[in-house]
Amino acid sequence: MAGKLEISRDIAAAPEAVYAAISDVTRMGEWSEECYACDWHDGFDGPAVGATFDGHNRHGTHEWTTQGKVITADPGRAFAFECSMRGIHYSTWGYQIQPTETGCRVTEWSQDLRPDYALEFSKKISGVEDRTVRNRQTISGTLERLAAALES
């Protein structure tokens, strides 16, 4: 699988404010429906290329933890990280931020990199039958909650 999904939303906030919010992974639970908490690994306390963290996720009664590694940390412009589980880099997530006259346009994207042999295991762990449909739903919700928090 190598599907990439992108969803954009205009947010009436400065690009730097949006970047500060999304790159502080410890706040992810404030906007994400599925990732309810993140913790930086020892030795890291903020967004820098190479920084690692655990992402704690849930869907219904299913809970799982993934390992994240920051691959892009460009203040006010872009933030991205790889997600791994059991040594398999199975997805990459990111945000592009572009200034607009009223704030910025934020594009959240994910790339599904799960190998075919891991698809059934992934469904069993997460309880998610169609990851593309689920990610479309959660990305839209994340951007809505992010906008609500930053525009208030």
Side-chain angles (χ1 to χ4, degrees):
M1 302 210 59
K4 187 169 183 181
L5 175 64
E6 294 183 353
I7 297 177
S8 299
R9 187 190 192 290
D10 288 346
I11 297 179
E16 296 76 17
V18 171
Y19 177 85
I22 60 175
S23 65
D24 180 356
V25 298
T26 65
R27 295 186 66 192
M28 187 56 69
E30 294 177 41
W31 359 99
S32 176
E33 181 178 336
E34 192 167 279
C35 181
Y36 65 88
C38 289
D39 307 302
W40 292 110
H41 288 168
D42 288 343
F44 301 106
D45 62 0
V49 172
T52 57
F53 60 93
D54 284 335
H56 307 284
N57 307 281
R58 71 174 144 230
H59 173 66
T61 59
H62 298 265
E63 290 198 26
W64 66 100
T65 298
T66 62
Q67 291 70 53
K69 180 179 178 182
V70 177
I71 58 171
T72 304
D74 188 359
R77 299 179 63 184
F79 181 70
F81 52 93
E82 297 175 346
C83 290
S84 299
M85 183 180 230
R86 298 185 181 190
I88 298 171
H89 171 201
Y90 69 89
S91 69
T92 302
W93 287 79
Y95 299 84
Q96 289 292 122
I97 306 165
Q98 299 172 302
T100 64
E101 288 184 18
T102 59
C104 59
R105 171 161 286 190
V106 180
T107 301
E108 183 175 356
W109 58 270
S110 70
Q111 186 167 18
D112 188 345
L113 302 171
R114 295 174 299 162
D116 289 341
Y117 69 83
L119 296 178
E120 285 306 313
F121 176 74
S122 175
K123 289 178 187 178
K124 183 177 180 182
I125 291 289
S126 68
V128 175
E129 284 295 317
D130 188 326
R131 180 45 69 184
T132 301
V133 169
R134 175 73 175 155
N135 284 355
R136 187 178 312 283
Q137 171 192 351
T138 60
I139 290 172
S140 294
T142 295
L143 292 174
E144 288 301 315
R145 286 184 284 282
L146 180 65
L150 296 177
E151 292 176 342
S152 60

